[in-house]
C-alpha cells in the first residue's frame, strides 16, 4: 500500500465513523486504542478539557476497507495497529512529508520496530526502546487455590484518599512519573477507572485492582497493586479474579491485561488465573523533550495490570502490577 492510502484527520468522530468497526473487530488486540481514543473523544466533547490540537488520527484504507489505524496523543507519541514493514515505511514517509513530529511509538513488537527503523531513515532520530509489555486475554477464569480469606468490595467515595495513596505508591513502584496527589488525580489516567479492593474478614483493604469501562465487550484490568508488606499472600490474585468475574458477569467478552514479560512472578500468576498470552508490545522513544500530557497516561501505561513487585518504566510504561 502507498503512503497516499493513509488518511489523517483531527476529527475523532469522523475517524470512528470510518475506522470504528476495524478497531472493534479485534477488541483484545486493540484494547489500548479503543480506550485511549474514547478518552480523547470525551475530552474533545468537553470545552473545559483543554484538549490539544496536536492530536490526530489516521487510517490506512484501500478499496473502501480499513487495514490499520494510527493516532498521535498530545505528547506526540504515536500508537499503531499491526503493519507490515512496507506499510510502516510508507507511514513514516507520509508523516515526515507532512512535517509531523513524533516523540516515540508504541505498537506490537514487530510493528513498533519496523516503524522505529523507518522513522530513523526518514526523520533522523535514533530510536531507544523504552518499554516492553505482554498482552494477556482471559480464557477460562481459574480462582486461586487456596483463596485468601476475605472478599472483594467496590471502592466508593470514602475510599478516595486510599486510592490516591495506593495509586501513587504503585506509580513509584513501576517508575511512572510524575506521581499523583489529590490535586492531580482528576487529570490522571486513574480517574476514570473502576476500583475493587480485596479486604480481609475484619474489613482491612489489602490489595486493589482497577478496570476500564467496557468498550466493544472489552475490559482491561489496570492497575493491580498490593502494598509491599502484604505481597506473597495471594491478595493480588484474589482481587484480579474478582474484577475479571465482575467483568464477565457484566457481559464482557474480552478481559485483558498487560504484564512486564521479564517478570516471571506476575506472568506465572496471571497464567494460573486463566490468562493466555496474545502478543508482545514494544515502545520506542525518539526524543525526550516532551512532557507527557495527562491524557497520555492511558497510553503510557496502556493497559496493564502486571508486573508484580519489581518495577519497570511504564508505557512506555504500560500499567503494571505490584503483586
Amino acid at each position: 500500500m502507498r503512503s497516499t492510502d493513509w488518511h489523517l484527520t483531527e476529527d475523532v468522530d469522523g475517524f470512528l465513523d470510518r475506522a470504528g468497526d476495524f478497531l472493534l473487530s479485534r477488541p483484545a488486540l486493540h484494547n489500548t486504542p479503543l480506550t485511549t481514543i474514547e478518552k480523547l473523544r470525551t475530552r474533545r466533547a468537553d470545552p473545559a478539557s483543554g484538549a490539544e490540537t496536536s492530536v490526530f488520527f489516521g487510517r490506512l484504507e484501500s478499496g473502501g476497507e480499513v487495514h490499520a489505524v494510527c493516532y498521535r496523543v498530545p505528547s506526540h507519541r504515536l500508537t499503531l495497529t499491526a503493519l507490515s514493514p512496507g506499510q510502516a515505511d510508507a507511514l513514516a514517509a507520509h508523516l515526515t512529508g507532512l512535517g509531523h513530529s513524533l516523540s516515540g511509538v508504541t505498537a506490537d513488537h514487530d510493528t513498533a520496530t519496523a516503524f522505529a527503523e523507518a522513522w530513523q531513515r526518514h526523520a533522523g532520530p535514533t530510536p531507544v526502546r523504552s518499554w516492553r509489555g505482554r498482552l494477556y486475554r482471559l480464557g477460562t477464569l481459574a480462582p486461586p487455590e487456596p483463596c485468601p480469606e476475605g472478599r472483594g468490595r467496590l471502592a466508593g467515595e470514602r475510599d478516595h484518599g486510599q486510592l490516591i495513596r495506593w495509586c501513587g505508591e504503585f506509580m513509584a513502584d513501576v517508575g511512572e512519573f510524575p506521581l499523583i496527589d489529590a490535586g492531580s488525580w482528576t487529570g490522571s489516567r486513574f480517574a476514570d477507572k473502576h476500583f475493587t479492593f480485596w479486604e480481609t474478614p475484619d474489613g482491612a483493604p489489602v490489595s486493589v485492582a482497577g478496570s476500564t469501562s467496557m468498550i466493544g465487550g472489552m475490559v482491561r484490568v489496570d492497575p493491580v497493586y498490593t502494598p509491599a508488606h502484604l505481597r506473597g499472600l495471594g491478595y493480588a490474585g484474589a482481587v484480579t479474579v474478582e474484577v475479571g468475574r465482575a467483568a464477565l458477569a457484566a457481559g464482557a467478552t474480552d478481559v485483558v491485561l498487560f504484564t512486564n514479560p521479564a517478570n516471571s512472578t506476575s506472568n506465572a500468576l496471571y497464567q494460573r488465573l486463566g490468562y493466555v498470552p496474545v502478543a508482545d508490545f514494544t515502545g520506542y522513544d525518539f526524543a525526550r523533550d516532551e512532557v507527557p500530557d495527562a491524557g497520555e497516561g492511558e497510553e503510557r501505561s496502556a493497559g496493564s495490570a502486571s508486573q508484580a513487585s519489581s518495577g519497570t518504566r511504564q508505557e512506555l510504561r504500560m500499567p503494571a502490577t505490584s503483586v
Side-chain angles (χ1 to χ4, degrees):
M1 292 183 179
R2 305 156 299 175
S3 62
T4 52
D5 293 323
W6 280 97
H7 304 272
L8 304 185
T9 181
E10 295 181 2
D11 177 9
V12 62
D13 293 314
F15 168 78
L16 288 172
D17 283 344
R18 298 300 298 264
D21 287 345
F22 167 78
L23 289 170
L24 292 171
S25 68
R26 304 187 71 180
L29 194 62
H30 298 157
N31 72 90
T32 302
L34 284 169
T35 55
T36 303
I37 292 171
E38 176 59 20
K39 179 177 289 188
L40 292 169
R41 187 194 67 79
T42 301
R43 292 181 67 191
R44 284 279 179 90
D46 178 9
S49 70
E52 299 183 31
T53 57
S54 59
V55 175
F56 66 71
F57 310 90
R59 70 184 190 277
L60 178 61
E61 187 171 328
S62 179
E65 181 179 352
V66 175
H67 298 272
V69 304
C70 69
Y71 59 93
R72 187 180 71 178
V73 295
S75 69
H76 286 208
R77 176 167 294 278
L78 189 72
T79 296
L80 306 169
T81 59
L83 297 175
S84 69
Q87 291 168 340
D89 186 80
L91 177 60
H94 189 50
L95 294 178
T96 54
L98 293 173
H100 287 300
S101 63
L102 298 177
S103 63
V105 65
T106 306
D108 67 87
H109 176 74
D110 289 346
T111 298
T113 301
F115 184 86
E117 293 171 350
W119 190 253
Q120 183 177 17
R121 288 193 299 272
H122 292 283
T126 300
V128 177
R129 191 174 71 176
S130 52
W131 171 80
R132 292 191 304 149
R134 180 161 296 156
L135 174 65
Y136 282 83
R137 177 183 181 275
L138 181 60
T140 301
L141 189 64
E145 293 291 344
C147 184
E149 292 186 352
R151 68 183 184 94
R153 175 179 66 80
L154 289 175
E157 186 61 34
R158 66 187 174 94
D159 302 303
H160 188 59
Q162 178 82 74
L163 289 174
I164 293 173
R165 288 192 300 275
W166 277 10
C167 287
E169 292 172 11
F170 162 78
M171 294 174 74
D173 267 9
V174 300
E176 185 179 346
F177 297 97
L179 301 181
I180 60 168
D181 56 22
S184 59
W185 173 266
T186 301
S188 76
R189 69 180 183 83
F190 302 105
D192 61 347
K193 300 285 173 64
H194 311 283
F195 287 91
T196 298
F197 287 112
W198 187 263
E199 53 184 25
T200 57
D202 62 359
V206 289
S207 190
V208 67
S211 61
T212 62
S213 295
M214 192 184 308
I215 300 178
M218 182 279 301
V219 170
R220 186 175 64 247
V221 181
D222 164 46
V224 177
Y225 176 73
T226 305
H229 68 287
L230 295 170
R231 294 172 191 166
L233 300 174
Y235 298 137
V239 75
T240 302
V241 166
E242 190 72 13
V243 170
R245 182 182 287 127
L248 294 173
T253 55
D254 294 270
V255 181
V256 302
L257 54 79
F258 283 94
T259 70
N260 171 6
N263 190 305
S264 59
T265 300
S266 63
N267 283 268
L269 169 63
Y270 294 110
Q271 289 183 60
R272 289 197 302 272
L273 298 181
Y275 284 86
V276 179
V278 175
D280 281 2
F281 285 72
T282 299
Y284 292 93
D285 286 346
F286 300 147
R288 299 183 182 275
D289 56 352
E290 296 282 351
V291 177
D293 177 88
E296 192 196 4
E298 185 83 15
E299 269 312 289
R300 268 191 118 72
S301 293
S304 103
S306 320
Q307 99 191 6
S309 57
S310 69
T312 187
R313 290 188 58 182
Q314 298 222 43
E315 208 236 23
L316 273 186
R317 287 157 308 237
M318 275 186 167
T321 47
S322 294
V323 177

